[in-house]
Amino acid sequence: MTNLFTSWNSCRRALLVGTAVLTASCSDPSGVDPGQDAPVISVSARAAQEYSIPPALEPSTLQALVRREGEERVVADTTLAVVPGQQLALELRVPMRGEDEVFEVELIILNDGETEVFRSEPTLVPAHEAGAPVEPTEVLLEYSGPGSGADRLQVTPDPSSVLVGGQTSLEAIAFDDDDPLGAVPVEWRSLNPDVVALADPATGLFQAGDQRGSARIVASLDPLGLADTARIFVTPPPGRIVRAGGDNQEGRAGGALPNPIRVRVLATDGINLPGQLVVFEAGSGGSVSPATAVTGADGTASAEWTLGPVLGPQELVARVASDPELAITFRAEAGAAALASVTLAPRFMQFDAVTETQALAVLAVDIFGNVVTPDDVSWSSSNTDVVTISGEGVVTARGNGEAEITATADGVRSEPTRAVVAQAPVSVQLTPGAGWLIALSQERRFAATARDRLDQPIPDASFEWSSSNPGVLEIDGNGLARGVGLGSAEVRARLTGSELTARSAGQVGVGPLETLIVAPGGITFDALTLTEELSVEGRDAFGNVVELDEVTWVSSRPEVASVSESGVVTAVGLGDTEIRARVGDVTSGPVRVVVDPVAVGARIEPSSGWVLRDGRRLTFEATAFDRLGNDLPHVEFTYESSDEDVLTIDEDSGRARARNEGVVTVRATMRGNDDVRAASTGIVVD
């Protein structure tokens, strides 16, 4: 709710309800005299909002009523004549009963009846003490006039059009949710008055100017804060109608054309003209829907044309309703009418081979008994696993069985043609063919296929199986064979119920190489240059020994152990490696080779007999060797001097220095093995 403040602009009447200017009082049956010090209900303008009463409700007379809550009796009643341009402030004095009371205020427009426009909520007026100053009680009013329950306003029509200099009316409809409350009195205004001006504020009548353009119109119901807009287009009168699409089409007599008839209406200035009513008239017994249409924003209107029953050319005329002289003619060609029946030939088809083809012919008759060639024929097969049919009516056999073929043209379906496919066998084929090999104890399945004259397989054919040499090859009734002895044999498959037989000759022997077995499975060398020969054996999937043509040997670390073409392994250096044999795509498992030479002795350089002057330096180096005398460079030694006063030596590096004259021995001992030692004796001279 808000304070009441209504205003009108221009020459409309204005009413301002606010501070005390006009006072009205009345007596009360209780005997209380509403004197100057009586409590006051003030309809105050303080902090008020402006309300524009819709022009249709402009009051010439305004009545203010005050009632106690829950009572019908009026305790204050003031009627005012409203003068255009006048501002009024209303203060009502009411009688009190010596206690707090609740009152309600109504404002009613008296114009050929009574229209309530504002109502207050029940307002508490405190009791007034005699002799105390009267403090007005502010009453808040809420709009209660037409459309007061609305939450949405809609202007219609939107958009609309009017000719230059013409008039048009708009209507504002109030809605509560989606329920229309009907037309309501609103305030109208044009945002483009130079194009469209407001002619009648009460009815929403607008006057177009003398130039093309568009104007945005606003309707508002200020007391509720509701508004909506609409667009009015101002155009010159129509000057020409032209084709926009749909001319020179072809269709069937009595049928609708595929594309709509489209026209464009142009104003006298050559610009598209919206909002023009166009009338369509079809000749030769045809029809058009809709018969009239209004041009849109682009100046176009369209309709669907259904041709009449007459074969040949037909015409349709489109006219501008406001100027029938503005017309244009469309033409169409009517072909054969709707079909009455579709017949196929032949009515029975027989196929003895899959992929065989035969063609069907279509005979179509229209409702007038004319034999016609349908534009579009759709085909169907009841079982596409048996036969299929192309868009040209060619039937192709796909599998044994029966199916029905039908054709449909213009919604008319033919009686079916029966198609039967029964393959006739002409040959039997065996898989695998001649030259097969089966390993001893190996099983292998043979497959037989019967074929028709077009070399297509015949499904579900059964066969009788046999072997020409059961001691070499056994075979069961399902074509599963097993090699039972070395030699040759012939597999035979005879089509059941026929003399057609297929034969396939082959061998039972050793199967292809499956695995390689190398012996021994591991080697350990305790000295370098030692050798050992590996052996390899090939076997098929059934454990039969396979003769090997060429074996390739590979070492993963040839710097540890190498392997020759004949499989001889030689210890080369400390560490481990893996040796594999390879024949074609078959590789053996690994043979692990470990080279771990054992030191059995050592030598030292320089050897005995060296001479070193006092203060000079010399480096000793010890080397271990295995049982074959091969140096072992990886072995580490510690060094010591027999007399540190004569010669000092670094324990780890073997670097020595002469200190005094004398004879001394240098000893080298293998780390971790005191049994491997070497010594060198020499002298130090001054």
Side-chain angles (χ1 to χ4, degrees):
M1 295 185 295
T2 183
N3 304 87
L4 175 67
F5 184 75
T6 59
S7 64
W8 290 258
N9 297 321
S10 251
C11 54
R12 289 179 285 174
R13 296 175 178 144
L15 175 66
L16 175 66
V17 182
T19 58
V21 175
L22 179 68
T23 300
S25 64
C26 63
S27 62
D28 186 91
S30 65
V32 180
D33 182 14
Q36 291 297 317
D37 62 347
V40 175
I41 296 178
S42 176
V43 184
S44 177
R46 290 172 299 188
Q49 294 181 356
E50 291 188 5
Y51 285 154
S52 293
I53 294 180
L57 298 178
E58 272 188 5
S60 59
T61 304
L62 181 69
Q63 183 182 29
L65 302 177
V66 183
R67 293 184 176 88
R68 286 186 175 88
E69 184 184 28
E71 297 182 8
E72 293 294 326
R73 188 168 63 88
V74 175
V75 300
D77 184 348
T78 298
T79 302
L80 304 172
V82 181
V83 179
Q86 182 186 27
Q87 289 190 342
L88 300 175
L90 179 64
E91 186 175 271
L92 302 174
R93 296 183 180 273
V94 298
M96 298 287 291
R97 294 170 175 169
E99 59 185 16
D100 296 351
E101 295 189 67
V102 179
F103 293 89
E104 297 175 345
V105 178
E106 300 175 58
L107 291 183
I108 299 173
I109 296 174
L110 302 178
N111 291 342
D112 300 327
E114 297 183 357
T115 304
E116 181 183 278
V117 289
F118 292 97
R119 176 184 290 271
S120 75
E121 293 287 339
T123 302
L124 177 66
V125 179
H128 173 68
E129 295 181 7
V134 176
E135 294 291 336
T137 299
E138 188 177 45
V139 178
L140 302 179
L141 299 178
E142 186 177 63
Y143 181 74
S144 57
S148 59
D151 57 16
R152 179 168 63 90
L153 196 66
Q154 180 178 317
V155 177
T156 183
D158 181 29
S160 62
S161 65
V162 62
L163 295 179
V164 170
Q167 291 185 334
T168 185
S169 295
L170 300 180
E171 184 181 24
I173 301 176
F175 290 84
D176 182 3
D177 290 332
D178 292 329
D179 298 326
L181 302 179
V184 296
V186 298
E187 181 177 358
W188 297 95
R189 60 192 176 100
S190 172
L191 300 183
N192 309 94
D194 57 333
V195 180
V196 176
L198 181 62
D200 187 347
T203 63
L205 179 67
F206 290 88
Q207 176 69 49
D210 57 359
Q211 61 181 359
R212 172 189 287 273
S214 67
R216 179 65 68 181
I217 308 300
V218 180
S220 58
L221 187 58
D222 284 352
L224 297 179
L226 301 178
D228 192 28
T229 66
R231 179 75 68 180
I232 297 178
F233 293 93
V234 179
T235 62
R240 190 159 57 102
I241 183 172
V242 297
R243 301 179 187 87
D247 195 23
N248 295 319
Q249 297 186 70
E250 294 182 357
R252 290 190 175 186
L257 292 176
N259 301 315
I261 302 300
R262 297 181 68 246
V263 298
R264 176 173 283 108
V265 179
L266 304 175
T268 52
D269 59 2
I271 300 177
N272 297 335
L273 188 60
Q276 296 299 304
L277 183 66
V278 178
V279 179
F280 299 95
E281 300 175 354
S284 304
S287 62
V288 61
S289 178
T292 61
V294 178
T295 58
D298 61 351
T300 65
S302 63
E304 301 291 335
W305 183 9
T306 299
L307 299 177
V310 180
L311 299 181
Q314 297 189 21
E315 293 183 349
L316 177 146
V317 178
R319 305 178 188 276
V320 179
S322 62
D323 188 356
E325 295 297 321
L326 299 178
I328 194 151
T329 300
F330 289 81
R331 293 173 176 79
E333 187 72 22
L339 296 182
S341 65
V342 176
T343 304
L344 299 181
R347 299 294 301 276
F348 176 78
M349 309 178 85
Q350 178 76 46
F351 300 87
D352 64 358
V354 170
T355 71
E356 180 185 357
T357 60
Q358 297 183 41
L360 280 171
V362 177
L363 177 65
V365 179
D366 66 13
I367 57 178
F368 303 111
N370 301 309
V371 177
V372 298
T373 302
D375 295 330
D376 186 21
V377 179
S378 62
W379 301 87
S380 67
S381 168
S382 65
N383 191 341
T384 55
D385 292 335
V386 176
V387 293
T388 59
I389 185 165
S390 71
E392 292 73 33
V394 177
V395 181
T396 302
R398 300 298 184 187
N400 295 311
E402 295 186 13
E404 290 184 344
I405 301 171
T406 56
T408 303
D410 291 346
V412 180
R413 186 173 182 175
S414 72
E415 291 294 322
T417 286
R418 179 168 169 258
V420 177
V421 180
Q423 287 177 280
V426 297
S427 64
V428 176
Q429 178 182 343
L430 261 179
T431 304
W436 49 264
L437 174 65
I438 298 179
L440 190 64
S441 302
Q442 180 186 7
E443 291 184 344
R444 184 165 190 175
R445 185 169 299 278
F446 286 79
T449 305
R451 296 184 176 274
D452 60 25
R453 61 182 176 85
L454 297 180
D455 200 35
Q456 298 300 310
I458 300 175
D460 303 326
S462 63
F463 300 88
E464 298 173 1
W465 296 89
S466 62
S467 170
S468 66
N469 195 344
V472 173
L473 184 74
E474 295 178 346
I475 191 165
D476 65 11
N478 297 315
L480 182 63
R482 184 174 183 272
V484 295
L486 299 178
S488 60
E490 185 181 75
V491 174
R492 299 166 182 168
R494 184 172 67 87
L495 181 64
T496 303
S498 171
E499 295 300 321
L500 295 174
T501 303
R503 295 173 172 82
S504 179
Q507 296 286 326
V508 176
V510 178
L513 178 65
E514 183 75 17
T515 58
L516 292 172
I517 302 172
V518 180
I523 303 172
T524 299
F525 294 108
D526 64 355
L528 300 178
T529 70
L530 288 177
T531 62
E532 186 165 345
E533 186 175 4
L534 298 174
S535 65
V536 61
E537 183 180 70
R539 295 182 181 273
D540 64 12
F542 304 96
N544 303 310
V545 177
V546 178
E547 183 178 350
L548 303 178
D549 295 329
E550 182 177 353
V551 180
T552 300
W553 298 92
V554 179
S555 172
S556 64
R557 297 182 65 192
E559 71 275 13
V560 175
S562 63
V563 60
S564 70
E565 294 180 354
S566 60
V568 176
V569 182
T570 301
V572 177
L574 180 68
D576 63 87
T577 184
E578 291 182 346
I579 306 291
R580 286 180 169 86
R582 183 183 301 143
V583 177
D585 295 332
V586 180
T587 302
S588 72
V591 175
R592 187 168 182 264
V593 178
V594 178
V595 180
D596 187 15
V598 178
V600 298
R603 64 178 69 87
I604 189 170
E605 295 291 338
S607 60
S608 298
W610 51 268
V611 178
L612 186 65
R613 291 188 178 276
D614 185 15
R616 298 295 180 91
R617 298 180 184 273
L618 181 64
T619 299
F620 292 84
E621 184 177 5
T623 304
F625 53 84
D626 60 23
R627 63 184 177 87
L628 299 181
N630 299 303
D631 290 347
L632 306 177
H634 65 280
V635 176
E636 295 181 352
F637 288 85
T638 60
Y639 300 86
E640 63 178 341
S641 172
S642 64
D643 191 342
E644 291 287 335
D645 290 337
V646 177
L647 183 77
T648 59
I649 190 168
D650 184 78
E651 180 183 0
D652 297 318
S653 66
R655 291 191 292 271
R657 181 179 181 183
R659 301 184 65 86
N660 294 296
E661 293 182 15
V663 179
V664 66
T665 300
V666 175
R667 296 183 179 86
T669 304
M670 179 179 172
R671 292 185 185 273
N673 189 351
D674 294 343
D675 295 333
V676 179
R677 308 180 70 180
S680 177
T681 302
I683 59 175
V684 177
V685 298
D686 187 7

